[in-house]
Amino acid sequence: MSSKNSDQLHPLILDIGTSTFRMGWAGNDFPDIIAPSVYVDITDYLFSSDVIEGLEEIFINKEKIEDYLFGDKCLKYEHILKVHEFKKESNFNIFKKFFYYYYEQLNITLENRFKQPIIIITSFLMTDIEKAKLKDIFFSHFNFPELIFLSESQAIISTMQKSNGVIINIGESYTTISTILHGFINIIARDVFPIAGKELTNHFLNMILTGVGSRKNLYLDKWLAKEIKEKVSLCILDVKGEENRIKEGLTKYNQIINLPDGTSLEINSERFTLSEPLFDPKIIHVDYMGLAEATAKVIKIWERENWESLISNIILSGGTSLIPGLKERIKNELSHHFSEKMKDKINVIAVSGLENMAWIGGSILYSKDQLKKGWIKNPKINS
Ligand SMILES: Nc1ncnc2c1ncn2[C@@H]1O[C@H](COP(=O)(O)OP(=O)(O)OP(=O)(O)O)[C@@H](O)[C@H]1O
Ligand SMILES: [Mg+2]
């Protein structure tokens, strides 16, 4: 974290995801703060206090008199309090408090408070209303001097030091496919793919709950399913084959999950079938083509002479891209959509740290002095 006073006037980069909030000083290698985009209201119990006696006292006493808890602080109460996701709820009032809570953790001296320029990473899905709300928060409420909205794809491609490529960003709520050629984004050659981390978590949870059938006492919710998913998920090439081998006794994928209530759960094929909706959305009743086909379609919007520059630089980013084997599977499936000659050129890149890539890209662009245009000044300060 920044300590020198002058460093505290560097811009702050924010990537406000539906699952993860990332914030840190421009120029750093890594976000200083990575926190779940969640909050709890400490009076909003999942159970009433007549079910569990003394519930209120636990929180009021322990967490002082705050009304809400944010980010990391809430997840330990996930089985007692209702955990809310402010981005999914479009709850900007809570976002204000959430931001302030983490801003305080940067230990900025009094004279430097609210003096930083703000860089906000945006996907092409961010609406003008959302941008206006964020401007209002950072300008009118906090009084920061200036801000810039930085395209996620521009930021991500800069981490590769390339000016051509395809960016597949698979997060929690959104999967976006964008293309950049000679540094320019083609707003026609892009797509919003309808499956991301949230859908995979739900699919995983459904598979387990149907699989256990009569075991009615199994305690498993969305938060737990998400946590387990992140530990066990895989993506493989031969799904049918491995499913058959499991039926014949293959134990390679077996994993025992210890649940918080003391029971355990054994899973095997669910580990790889959980990622299958990415390649066939119809599995979860979404009428869309698979991710590789959608990517090929986006590439083919460009003239044929550009295809090679694009397929040789397909960059994976976002938390869901952490699924082991995803890169190989996308490459394999993409090859069905291009000629023999082109197939060899397909290159799918999954670097370590890809879940923070948009943030890191913003930091790189700032360090290279490439964030000159597009700043919006706070009218209250500059009038
Ligand atoms: N190891 C892992 N395996 C599978 N999924 C993972 C893994 N790690 C994280 N994820 C998933 O990645 C998603 C979060 O990714 P990311 O942080 O990129 O999302 P976000 O930026 O907050 O969301 P969005 O951009 O969609 O608003 C969650 O669904 C999470 O479960
Ligand atoms: Mg994101």
Side-chain angles (χ1 to χ4, degrees):
M1 241 169 252
S2 184
S3 54
K4 277 187 278 158
N5 264 11
S6 58
D7 290 353
Q8 295 195 337
L9 294 176
H10 278 176
L12 281 173
I13 304 175
L14 269 64
D15 182 357
I16 315 159
T18 40
S19 171
T20 322
F21 170 78
R22 299 174 170 93
M23 172 163 78
W25 299 101
N28 284 2
D29 296 338
F30 206 69
D32 299 83
I33 284 159
I34 299 178
S37 300
V38 294
Y39 71 97
V40 292
D41 171 340
I42 64 161
T43 59
D44 191 7
Y45 306 110
L46 289 175
F47 311 99
S48 58
S49 58
D50 46 327
V51 178
I52 301 177
E53 219 177 303
L55 212 48
E56 287 89 346
E57 285 80 53
I58 301 177
F59 299 102
I60 311 286
N61 294 342
K62 266 203 178 149
E63 302 296 343
K64 305 281 178 324
I65 332 282
E66 307 202 11
D67 296 338
Y68 298 100
L69 301 176
F70 301 106
D72 302 304
K73 261 200 156 178
C74 341
L75 286 185
K76 62 180 172 196
Y77 300 124
E78 72 192 19
H79 307 306
I80 305 169
L81 295 171
K82 176 150 178 46
V83 177
H84 295 266
E85 297 160 287
F86 61 81
K87 181 97 191 270
K88 286 185 190 162
E89 293 172 349
S90 293
N91 193 335
F92 288 92
N93 265 335
I94 289 287
F95 171 67
K96 249 185 244 170
K97 297 179 201 283
F98 180 98
F99 168 79
Y100 183 70
Y101 172 77
Y102 280 106
Y103 184 76
E104 280 201 308
Q105 298 193 4
L106 294 172
N107 295 322
I108 296 171
T109 57
L110 213 55
E111 76 263 27
N112 287 335
R113 288 193 127 207
F114 310 116
K115 301 256 171 71
Q116 299 72 25
I118 304 285
I119 299 169
I120 302 176
I121 307 280
T122 58
S123 91
F124 61 78
L125 293 169
M126 192 184 269
T127 61
D128 288 344
I129 296 177
E130 204 175 332
K131 286 185 183 172
K133 293 247 185 200
L134 290 171
K135 271 197 261 179
D136 186 53
I137 290 174
F138 290 106
F139 287 164
S140 306
H141 184 77
F142 290 117
N143 213 21
F144 284 100
E146 51 183 341
L147 67 74
I148 189 170
F149 292 107
L150 172 64
S151 139
E152 191 167 69
S153 349
Q154 293 281 16
I156 290 168
I157 198 121
S158 75
T159 63
M160 292 285 130
Q161 297 173 345
K162 296 212 166 117
S163 50
N164 300 327
V166 180
I167 294 128
I168 307 179
N169 186 15
I170 322 175
E172 160 77 358
S173 295
Y174 308 109
T175 293
T176 52
I177 308 167
S178 345
T179 48
I180 294 191
L181 201 72
H182 309 306
F184 292 102
I185 296 174
N186 179 345
I187 60 160
I188 301 165
R190 65 189 186 191
D191 194 15
V192 185
F193 182 74
I195 315 286
K198 164 167 61 74
E199 284 75 20
L200 300 189
T201 304
N202 289 338
H203 177 49
F204 181 52
L205 182 59
N206 284 340
M207 280 193 301
I208 292 178
L209 293 179
T210 13
V212 290
S214 58
R215 235 190 94 185
K216 290 203 181 64
N217 59 350
L218 178 78
Y219 181 77
L220 196 62
D221 64 4
K222 160 178 114 159
W223 294 103
L224 202 49
K226 187 178 178 205
E227 210 178 303
I228 301 170
K229 174 195 80 172
E230 291 170 10
K231 290 201 183 104
V232 304
S233 64
L234 291 174
C235 190
I236 63 169
L237 295 180
D238 181 17
V239 176
K240 284 266 158 337
E242 290 298 74
E243 276 183 327
N244 286 334
R245 270 166 236 132
I246 287 173
K247 276 185 203 138
E248 287 158 12
L250 178 75
T251 54
K252 179 173 150 192
Y253 299 101
N254 286 19
Q255 197 151 346
I256 310 263
I257 312 289
N258 294 317
L259 299 172
D261 64 357
T263 63
S264 63
L265 174 73
E266 189 175 340
I267 53 168
N268 45 50
S269 62
E270 295 86 354
R271 293 184 58 195
F272 55 81
T273 49
L274 84 84
S275 54
E276 283 309 295
L278 286 172
F279 300 95
D280 184 6
K282 294 187 182 65
I283 295 173
I284 54 167
H285 313 291
V286 176
D287 189 15
Y288 211 74
M289 65 197 104
L291 181 60
E293 188 181 348
T295 306
K297 233 177 159 168
V298 166
I299 294 170
K300 289 178 181 177
I301 293 173
W302 292 90
E303 299 284 330
R304 188 176 278 268
E305 66 204 51
N306 297 317
W307 294 0
E308 197 178 313
S309 323
L310 295 170
I311 59 172
S312 57
N313 196 26
I314 297 172
I315 306 162
L316 297 186
S317 69
T320 300
S321 300
L322 287 170
I323 299 177
L326 189 72
K327 172 179 121 169
E328 291 75 14
R329 176 72 179 275
I330 292 178
K331 181 175 168 152
N332 181 278
E333 295 224 352
L334 264 176
S335 68
H336 305 318
H337 300 278
F338 291 93
S339 68
E340 275 309 315
K341 219 176 97 208
M342 283 268 200
K343 272 180 197 171
D344 296 338
K345 312 277 190 226
I346 299 174
N347 184 27
V348 182
I349 303 162
V351 296
S352 79
L354 53 75
E355 67 279 26
N356 298 313
M357 226 169 174
W359 190 97
I360 294 169
S363 191
I364 292 175
L365 284 173
Y366 169 76
S367 303
K368 286 191 180 162
D369 214 11
Q370 285 174 354
L371 279 184
K372 289 242 162 87
K373 279 189 241 151
W375 285 96
I376 307 162
K377 303 245 182 239
N378 184 343
K380 265 171 60 188
I381 296 180
N382 297 286
S383 60

